[in-house]
Amino acid sequence: MKAQILDGKKVAEEVRAAIKKEVDEIKSKGGHIPGLAVVLVGENPASKVYVGQKEKKCKEVGFNSFLHKLPASTTEGELLKLIETLNNDKAVDGILVQLPLPQQIDSDKILKAIDPSKDVDGFHPMNMGYLVAGLPAVHPCTPKGIMYLLDAYGIEIEGKHAVVVGRSNIVGKPIAHLLLDRNATVTICHSRTKDLGAITRQADIIVAAVGRPRMITGSMVKEGAVVVDVGINRLEEGLVGDVDFETVGDVASWITPVPGGVGPLTIAMLLKNTLEAGRKSER
């Protein structure tokens, strides 16, 4: 058996095309154009690449893009002042502060300062709380992208046993709750889990988001499981995921590649969250 590919790149292109079509219609009617403000503090090379990608995709779909580049010496107070300005700017529907921030700035304080309705990353404690409670909220982009990808390929979720490997606030915890909301039985594993393979071998769906290269191997996956690899690990041979693609691909029914799986959908869902925020601001 050879796993079929869950092509995140292809699905993300379809999402962006649908968003562009809606924005074009908004423009033709003289409506409110969604606006995304991205804040980059410092010169972190990876952050600069991510911000560049987000800005490029924003322009592709016709959004207004507001990039704020601040020096690494920026104080917490200065950044809070900028966020307050963006919160009050009606042209801005979404605010994204690129992490990590310099050590003199408390990331939690910054994320809490963003207006929850403009929190297109879905990291504000209010949005996280609503998600846990099963209430309408802005969902974090990567977990939202995973759910969108599974739905795009008609992967059945209800009644399935989903094992999430990783417990971060960015991926592990929110994806577990989104799967629960869709009536999956969810087990969360992490770095302290004993005999991880014994648990993952029970899974119909595995979401690997632990940040360890090729941690999930073929012997840890049952025949026919669906495997979603969120990991992005830079090794000498290039980018690899948390899943050993070759051995797992021999037993899984569906698998995401790295790159080209979950990654493209993260930015696509950021655009989708911004579009949805823009719709609300028009009401």
Side-chain angles (χ1 to χ4, degrees), residues 82-93:
L82 172 60
I83 288 170
E84 184 181 0
T85 300
L86 297 175
N87 281 341
N88 294 321
D89 188 342
K90 291 184 178 179
V92 173
D93 300 295

Side-chain angles (χ1 to χ4, degrees), residues 38-270:
V38 178
V39 180
L40 175 64
V41 184
E43 298 291 329
N44 182 294
S47 291
K48 287 170 80 172
V49 170
Y50 293 144
V51 165
Q53 290 173 346
K54 289 164 185 172
E55 193 177 22
K56 181 183 175 185
K57 299 303 180 189
C58 263
K59 288 176 180 174
E60 276 183 21
V61 298
F63 284 2
N64 289 325
S65 178
F66 309 99
L67 177 59
H68 296 267
K69 288 185 178 180
L70 304 177
S73 59
T74 298
T75 66
E76 186 174 276
E78 288 169 337
L79 183 51
L80 286 168
K81 190 173 181 180
L82 172 60
I83 288 170
E84 184 181 0
T85 300
L86 297 175
N87 281 341
N88 294 321
D89 188 342
K90 291 184 178 179
V92 173
D93 300 295
I95 301 169
L96 184 151
V97 178
Q98 185 66 44
L99 301 177
L101 292 168
Q103 60 183 15
Q104 75 271 16
I105 299 175
D106 183 340
S107 298
D108 287 339
K109 188 182 286 188
I110 298 304
L111 295 178
K112 287 176 186 173
I114 297 171
D115 181 336
S117 68
K118 295 189 177 189
D119 167 40
V120 285
D121 258 336
F123 295 160
H124 193 283
M126 184 180 292
N127 283 320
M128 293 293 279
Y130 277 29
L131 185 155
V132 171
L135 297 171
V138 182
H139 293 160
C141 300
T142 299
K144 183 171 182 169
I146 292 168
M147 299 302 290
Y148 195 98
L149 183 61
L150 293 176
D151 286 342
Y153 281 90
I155 305 297
E156 193 174 343
I157 297 170
E158 183 167 341
K160 300 298 183 181
H161 183 192
V163 172
V164 177
V165 186
R167 53 180 169 178
S168 73
N169 290 335
I170 295 172
V171 180
K173 290 176 186 174
I175 189 61
H177 285 285
L178 290 176
L179 288 163
L180 272 174
D181 284 347
R182 295 284 294 277
N183 300 315
T185 298
V186 180
T187 302
I188 302 178
C189 299
H190 45 77
S191 59
R192 305 288 178 88
T193 298
K194 293 180 180 178
D195 198 357
L196 178 63
I199 299 172
T200 56
R201 277 190 292 273
Q202 300 173 36
D204 302 303
I205 300 170
I206 297 174
V207 178
V210 75
R212 293 188 180 180
R214 302 190 180 106
M215 182 182 183
I216 307 298
T217 61
S219 64
M220 299 168 71
V221 178
K222 81 173 181 181
E223 191 86 15
V226 175
V227 181
V228 178
D229 189 353
V230 186
I232 299 179
N233 307 284
R234 295 180 187 277
L235 302 181
E236 283 188 10
E237 67 261 40
L239 290 179
V240 301
D242 291 352
V243 172
D244 183 10
F245 187 84
E246 295 303 320
T247 61
V248 172
D250 287 337
V251 293
S253 59
W254 293 91
I255 189 170
T256 59
V258 175
V262 174
L265 277 162
T266 297
I267 294 182
M269 292 303 113
L270 171 69

Side-chain angles (χ1 to χ4, degrees), residues 12-13 15-24 27 33-34 54-64 268 271-272 274-275:
E13 286 172 358
V15 171
R16 291 196 304 273
I19 291 172
K20 185 179 187 306
K21 183 180 178 183
E22 184 168 338
V23 173
D24 287 344
K27 286 181 178 177
I33 308 300
K54 289 164 185 172
E55 193 177 22
K56 181 183 175 185
K57 299 303 180 189
C58 263
K59 288 176 180 174
E60 276 183 21
V61 298
F63 284 2
N64 289 325
L271 300 175
K272 197 168 176 61
T274 304
L275 178 65

